[in-house]
C-alpha cells in the first residue's frame, strides 16, 4: 500500500503529540499519587505533632477521656484549636469572652485521626485502625494516658477523596484528548502547508519530463523548499534554453550546409549543361564551398571529442609570440580586404608556454576570424601579449573596434551555437562554434578565457595561459 508523504508527515506529528500527551498524563498521575498524596501526609503529620500536646493538656484538665468519648464536636474542636488557645480547658471560654478562631483543615487530616486510651481501646475518631497507622503516645505526668493514631491518606476510603481522584483522572484524559485533537488539526495543516510546494515541484517535474520546458513553479518562501523551487526553475530555464539552442543549431547547421551544397549543386549542373566551362575560377569557387563545409564538420567533430575528453593534445614548450605572428601573417590579406588596421604590442623577450602548437594555432585563428568577421570596415584590431613579472602566466588580448556586444550577452559568447543578434548575426557567417572551441582549448591548457567590452568600442578577448618557465632561444 502506497502512503503519501502528507499522510506520513501527518501520522508522525500526530504520533509525537499523542506520545507527549500520554507521557504528560502518566507524569501527572505519578505526581498525584506520589507527590500530592505525600504532601497531604506530610501536612497531616505536622497537624498530628501539634495535636498531641493539646490532647495531653485537655486530658490533664479533665482527668480522663470521658469528655470526648462519643463527643465528636468536642473532639474536632480540640484538634482545630490554635496553639495560643490550646491551654484553655475544654468547655471553658477564653479570656475576653470570645471563642478562639477555628483552624480550617483542607487536607482532610482531622478525619483520619483516632484516639485510643492507655489500654489501646477506641475512644473517638476514625474507626478503621490497622497496622499502617502512624502512632504517637500521649503522656501526662510521665505516664502514658493514650495514643493518637493517623491513617495514611492512601488507606482512606472516603467517598470525597475517591471522587476527587476520579475527577482529576477524567479531567486529565479530557485535556489529553483535546490536545491530541488539536495536534491532529495542526499536523494536517502543517503537512499540507509544507508539502504543497513539494507537490507543485513534483507535478512540474512530470510536465518537464514530458517535454513541457516552459513549466515553472511559484517560489513561496525563502527556506529549503523555496530553494528547491528556485533550483527547479533554474533547471527548467537551462533545459528550455538548451532545447531552443538545439533547434537553432539544427536550423543553423542545415542552413550552413545547404548554402555551399546549393552552390555546388548549381555550379555542377551549370558545368554539366555547358553553361559554365570548367575553369580555374570555377574550381576555386567549388573548393571554397567545400572548405566551408569541411570547417563546419571539423568544428562539430572537435566539440564532440572535447565533450568526451578525447581531444588529443601533444604539449611541448612553444614560443607563443612566434606562433601568434605566424597567425597574424596569415590574416594580412583578410585584414586588408576588410579595411582593418592591425596593431600589435609584443614583449621583447618572448615567453614560452607548455602547449599543443596545433591547438594554439587553432585558438588564434578562431579569435582572429571572429574579430575580422564582425568588425566594421575601417576599424582597428589590436593584439597584445604580456607576461607580468612573478605572475607565471602569459596574457594575450584581442581587442577590436565597433560594433560591440551588449553586456548581458557577453557571458554567453562561449556557449556553443550561440550568436549575438544584430550586428554580429548569422548574416556575417559562422555557426557559433568557434568561441566554444576556444574555451575548450584554453581549459585543456589550464588557462582561462574571458570576454568583455573593448576600449576601442568593440569586443575584447583575454586569454591567460600558464607559462612554462623557459625562455625563447
Amino acid at each position: 500500500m502506497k502512503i503519501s508523504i502528507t499522510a506520513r508527515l501527518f501520522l508522525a506529528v500526530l504520533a509525537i503529540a499523542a506520545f507527549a500527551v500520554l507521557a504528560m498524563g502518566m507524569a501527572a498521575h505519578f505526581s498525584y499519587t506520589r507527590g500530592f498524596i505525600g504532601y497531604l501526609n506530610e501536612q497531616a503529620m505536622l497537624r498530628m505533632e501539634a495535636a498531641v500536646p493539646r490532647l495531653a493538656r485537655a486530658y490533664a484538665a479533665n482527668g480522663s477521656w470521658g469528655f470526648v468519648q462519643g463527643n465528636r464536636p468536642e473532639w474536632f474542636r480540640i484538634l482545630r484549636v490554635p496553639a495560643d488557645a490550646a491551654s484553655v480547658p475544654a468547655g471553658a471560654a477564653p479570656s475576653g469572652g470570645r471563642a478562639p478562631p477555628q483552624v480550617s483543615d483542607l487536607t482532610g487530616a482531622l478525619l483520619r485521626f483516632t484516639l485510643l486510651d492507655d489500654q489501646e481501646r477506641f475512644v473517638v475518631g476514625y474507626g478503621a485502625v490497622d497496622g499502617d497507622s502512624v502512632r504517637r503516645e500521649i503522656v501526662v505526668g510521665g505516664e502514658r494516658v493514650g495514643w493518637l493514631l493517623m491513617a495514611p491518606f492512601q488507606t482512606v476510603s472516603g467517598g470525597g477523596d475517591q471522587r476527587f481522584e476520579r475527577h482529576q483522572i477524567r479531567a486529565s484524559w479530557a485535556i489529553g484528548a483535546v490536545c491530541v485533537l488539536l495536534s491532529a488539526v495542526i499536523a494536517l495543516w502543517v503537512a499540507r502547508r509544507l508539502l504543497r510546494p513539494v507537490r507543485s515541484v513534483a507535478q512540474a517535474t512530470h510536465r518537464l519530463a514530458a517535454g513541457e520546458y516552459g513549466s515553472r513553479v511559484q517560489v513561496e518562501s525563502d527556506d529549503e523548499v523555496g530553494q528547491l523551487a528556485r533550483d527547479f526553475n533554474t533547471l527548467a530555464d537551462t533545459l528550455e534554453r538548451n532545447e531552443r539552442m538545439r533547434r537553432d543549431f539544427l536550423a543553423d547547421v542545415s542552413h550552413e550546409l545547404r548554402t555551399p551544397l546549393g552552390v555546388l549543386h548549381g555550379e555542377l549542373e551549370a558545368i554539366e549543361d555547358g553553361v559554365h566551362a570548367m575553369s580555374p575560377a570555377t574550381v576555386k569557387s567549388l573548393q571554397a564551398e567545400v572548405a566551408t563545409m569541411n570547417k563546419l564538420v571539423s568544428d562539430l567533430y572537435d566539440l564532440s571529442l572535447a565533450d568526451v575528453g578525447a581531444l588529443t593534445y601533444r604539449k611541448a614548450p612553444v614560443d607563443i609570440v612566434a606562433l601568434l605572428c605566424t597567425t597574424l601573417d596569415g590574416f594580412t590579406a583578410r585584414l586588408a580586404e576588410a579595411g582593418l588596421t592591425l596593431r600589435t604590442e609584443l614583449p621583447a623577450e618572448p615567453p614560452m608556454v607548455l602547449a599543443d602548437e596545433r591547438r594554439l594555432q587553432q585558438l588564434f585563428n578562431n579569435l582572429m576570424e571572429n574579430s575580422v568577421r564582425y568588425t566594421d570596415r575601417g576599424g582597428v584590431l589590436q593584439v597584445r601579449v604580456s607576461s607580468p613579472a612573478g605572475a607565471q602566466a602569459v596574457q594575450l588580448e584581442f581587442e577590436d573596434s565597433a560594433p560591440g556586444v551588449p553586456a548581458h550577452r557577453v557571458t554567453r559568447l562561449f556557449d556553443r551555437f550561440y550568436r549575438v543578434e544584430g550586428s554580429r548575426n548569422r548574416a556575417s557567417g559562422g555557426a557559433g562554434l568557434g568561441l566554444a572551441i576556444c574555451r575548450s582549448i584554453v581549459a585543456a591548457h589550464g588557462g582561462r578565457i574571458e570576454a568583455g567590452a573593448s576600449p576601442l568600442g568593440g569586443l575584447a578577448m583575454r586569454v591567460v595561459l600558464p607559462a612554462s618557465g623557459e625562455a625563447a632561444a
Side-chain angles (χ1 to χ4, degrees), residues 315-451:
K315 297 181 180 181
V318 176
D319 183 348
I320 197 168
V321 172
L323 183 61
L324 179 61
C325 289
T326 301
T327 303
L328 296 179
D329 291 341
F331 275 85
T332 301
R334 289 282 307 277
L335 291 170
E337 182 181 353
L340 300 179
T341 301
L342 177 64
R343 300 174 183 172
T344 59
E345 294 183 16
L346 306 177
E349 296 182 4
M352 300 291 290
V353 296
L354 185 64
D356 186 317
E357 183 174 346
R358 185 170 62 89
R359 294 300 178 187
L360 281 189
Q361 185 77 51
Q362 184 180 9
L363 169 67
F364 298 154
N365 282 333
N366 286 344
L367 293 177
M368 287 295 298
E369 182 70 27
N370 188 72
S371 294
V372 172
R373 177 175 293 175
Y374 298 115
T375 302
D376 290 343
R377 187 173 186 84
V380 177
L381 172 60
Q382 181 168 290
V383 179
R384 182 185 302 110
V385 178
S386 61
S387 180
Q392 298 299 318
V394 179
Q395 180 173 289
L396 299 95
E397 296 175 277
F398 295 77
E399 299 177 350
D400 56 43
S401 56
V405 176
H408 65 282
R409 298 181 181 272
V410 170
T411 56
R412 296 195 55 194
L413 287 177
F414 299 102
D415 294 345
R416 59 187 60 186
F417 318 125
Y418 179 78
R419 291 182 301 191
V420 180
E421 299 296 332
S423 60
R424 295 177 182 256
N425 58 18
R426 64 184 294 173
S428 301
L433 300 176
L435 293 182
I437 295 175
C438 290
R439 181 175 60 180
S440 299
I441 294 174
V442 172
H445 286 83
R448 68 179 188 274
I449 183 171
E450 304 169 347

Side-chain angles (χ1 to χ4, degrees), residues 297-307 311 359 362 437:
V297 174
S298 297
D299 288 346
L300 291 174
Y301 181 68
D302 287 343
L303 280 177
S304 65
L305 292 179
D307 286 339
L311 199 60
R359 294 300 178 187
Q362 184 180 9
I437 295 175

Side-chain angles (χ1 to χ4, degrees), residues 43-61 65 67 75 78-83 86-87 110 113-116 134-141 143-150:
Q43 295 297 316
M45 285 297 299
L46 295 177
R47 285 187 170 273
M48 185 178 185
E49 297 295 340
V52 169
R54 292 204 298 270
L55 289 171
R57 287 192 291 270
Y59 181 89
W65 296 117
F67 70 98
W75 161 250
I78 295 175
L79 293 179
R80 289 193 182 101
V81 171
S87 60
L110 300 183
F113 287 161
T114 303
L115 180 62
L116 304 179
V134 181
R135 305 166 66 95
R136 291 293 185 269
E137 287 184 325
I138 302 175
V139 179
V140 176
E143 294 183 1
R144 181 175 64 200
V145 298
W147 296 87
L148 179 63
L149 281 67
M150 182 189 70

